Amino acid sequence: MAIVQKSKLTRDLSISLLLYTLPVVAIYLYFKLGNGVITDSHITLPSFLQFAQPAFANIRTWGLTVFMLVLGVIEFGAGLYDDQWTGEERKIDIISFLAPKLILPPVIAFFSLTALPYLIPDLANSLSWVPFWGGFFLIAVADDLTQYWYHRLHHQVPFLWRFHRTHHSAPYMGMAMLSRQNFIYTIFFSQIYLTAALTYLGLGLPALFVLVIKSFITLGAHSSIAWDKPLYKYKVLHPIAWVLERLISTPATHHAHHADTSGDGVGHFKGNFGNMFFIWDVIFGTGLITRKFPKSYGIKSYKQEEWYAQFLWPIFKSKKEGSALAEGVFAVPLKQKEESISPSPVYYEQAQS
């Protein structure tokens, strides 16, 4: 079994390296076929997108936060959280939403304005000649494929799982839990720094458009408002559904990832790792498409740990007996009959005896 898993991991990483090179090859061929001619149009937005730049800039700075809050109000107004958003759940959701907005910007600013100019001073704007479509393609693949692997490894590596566990402990889906993460998981988001580096190299405009589009897709995938259900209900829309559910994350596929069990044929916490693009799961065989929604979400072994333990483990530990975030807790190999205990596909949580 270990040999098979290692072989699959090696194969998937090899495919990933190929995928990372596709945008680079496409840009190279574009200029090769064009005799290497670079015109002003290559370093500016296409004319049909120039009007959208101010809108995308405003959406990125404050529009997404407003959209998220409005969508959350609609969800609450529709009673989609029932009585589950109480006590520690409110605290961890609110803190996880606010803290990164206060702490992450200075970290990213230091990385972009101080660290990168020091480490690679001669490369600033060195990719500004890349056409908009090329930069968009490059960042879309680099950012989201990197996050796919970051996400996947946090499900498959026992030590890493507990940094991501907070996101899966919520027994509901919606805007309230979208930002719900252990802060260490958030601060080390690998794709954040990769995209910041590409922006420093001159791909700021395509980065802006990619991040806004990705934000809307991930918002929609986490929302308790199942916008994709009409696509499955009406036969005339099935072709659109077929393409969308294989290309991007939808509520059906991402809700399945947050299910508290995989035994019902709908929940799939062992896969559906894609964030913006679901196609990574299709390529690597980690996807499950059922067009159905789980009956319940979260972790069956959830102890409703204190907000500080969920947000800052392992700096602060939980005092809840039997919690995976408590002192002296370790992971042991998963037994098949206990598969539904934790979203980790290989390990489950158990207190040290």
Side-chain angles (χ1 to χ4, degrees), residues 22-31 36-46 123-140 197-207 210:
L22 288 180
V24 178
V25 172
I27 295 169
Y28 171 78
L29 291 176
Y30 175 78
F31 282 104
V37 177
I38 299 177
T39 65
D40 288 341
S41 62
H42 292 147
I43 58 176
T44 58
L45 275 176
L123 296 182
N125 295 317
S126 58
L127 296 181
S128 60
W129 56 268
V130 174
F132 176 83
W133 69 264
F136 186 93
F137 186 23
L138 178 63
I139 291 179
L198 290 172
T199 298
Y200 173 78
L201 295 177
L203 300 180
L205 280 178
V210 169

Side-chain angles (χ1 to χ4, degrees), residues 11-316:
R11 184 205 67 179
D12 289 354
L13 288 173
S14 299
I15 294 173
S16 294
L17 291 176
L18 175 62
L19 292 171
Y20 279 119
T21 64
L22 288 180
V24 178
V25 172
I27 295 169
Y28 171 78
L29 291 176
Y30 175 78
F31 282 104
K32 189 72 173 178
L33 295 175
N35 297 319
V37 177
I38 299 177
T39 65
D40 288 341
S41 62
H42 292 147
I43 58 176
T44 58
L45 275 176
S47 58
F48 70 94
L49 281 178
Q50 287 179 2
F51 78 94
Q53 183 179 346
F56 270 66
N58 289 328
I59 289 172
R60 183 60 185 166
T61 53
W62 56 267
L64 285 170
T65 299
V66 172
F67 178 78
M68 181 178 174
L69 292 173
V70 170
L71 196 55
V73 170
I74 295 174
E75 290 175 340
F76 278 109
L80 298 179
Y81 289 91
D82 295 325
D83 298 322
Q84 295 175 322
W85 204 60
T86 58
E88 293 297 333
E89 310 305 335
R90 279 199 303 268
K91 292 178 184 178
I92 186 60
D93 286 346
I94 293 173
I95 291 169
S96 296
F97 175 76
L98 294 177
K101 289 174 173 52
L102 298 174
I103 304 174
L104 269 183
V107 173
I108 301 301
F110 174 82
F111 177 75
S112 301
L113 302 177
T114 304
L116 287 176
Y118 176 78
L119 295 171
I120 47 176
D122 299 326
L123 296 182
N125 295 317
S126 58
L127 296 181
S128 60
W129 56 268
V130 174
F132 176 83
W133 69 264
F136 186 93
F137 186 23
L138 178 63
I139 291 179
V141 172
D143 179 281
D144 204 60
L145 182 54
T146 300
Q147 188 173 1
Y148 167 87
W149 276 106
Y150 187 77
H151 187 191
R152 176 174 166 177
L153 290 174
H154 275 77
H155 276 263
Q156 295 181 336
V157 177
F159 174 73
L160 294 178
W161 159 245
R162 277 177 284 186
F163 291 105
H164 182 52
R165 179 183 184 273
T166 301
H167 189 57
H168 281 269
S169 65
Y172 44 82
M173 293 295 291
M175 291 300 98
M177 55 75 63
L178 175 66
S179 304
R180 180 180 176 131
Q181 292 282 12
N182 178 292
F183 187 67
I184 295 176
Y185 179 91
T186 299
I187 204 74
F188 285 104
F189 258 155
S190 49
Q191 75 281 358
I192 292 177
Y193 304 99
L194 176 60
T195 300
L198 290 172
T199 298
Y200 173 78
L201 295 177
L203 300 180
L205 280 178
L208 171 66
F209 278 72
V210 169
L211 292 176
V212 168
I213 293 171
K214 178 174 181 174
S215 296
F216 275 112
I217 291 174
T218 54
L219 283 168
H222 282 86
S223 176
S224 57
I225 299 174
W227 60 263
D228 55 339
K229 277 189 175 180
L231 300 178
Y232 314 138
K233 182 178 180 181
Y234 301 106
K235 192 171 182 179
V236 68
L237 298 177
H238 284 185
I240 298 176
W242 192 93
V243 173
L244 277 182
E245 65 193 0
R246 285 163 177 77
L247 178 63
I248 66 172
S249 290
T250 62
T253 55
H254 198 68
H255 281 221
H257 176 68
H258 281 264
D260 63 357
T261 181
S262 64
D264 58 359
V266 177
H268 191 54
F269 50 66
K270 295 182 178 182
N272 291 17
F273 301 123
N275 294 275
M276 174 166 63
F277 292 129
F278 189 79
I279 196 170
W280 310 134
D281 288 286
V282 176
I283 292 173
F284 299 119
T286 55
L288 176 67
I289 299 174
T290 66
R291 299 186 176 181
K292 298 178 181 178
F293 288 78
K295 294 182 179 179
S296 54
Y297 303 96
I299 306 173
K300 288 191 179 297
S301 61
Y302 183 43
K303 305 294 183 182
Q304 291 189 313
E305 288 89 356
E306 306 87 347
W307 69 266
Y308 55 82
Q310 295 200 60
F311 187 62
L312 286 172
W313 184 90
I315 299 173
F316 295 102

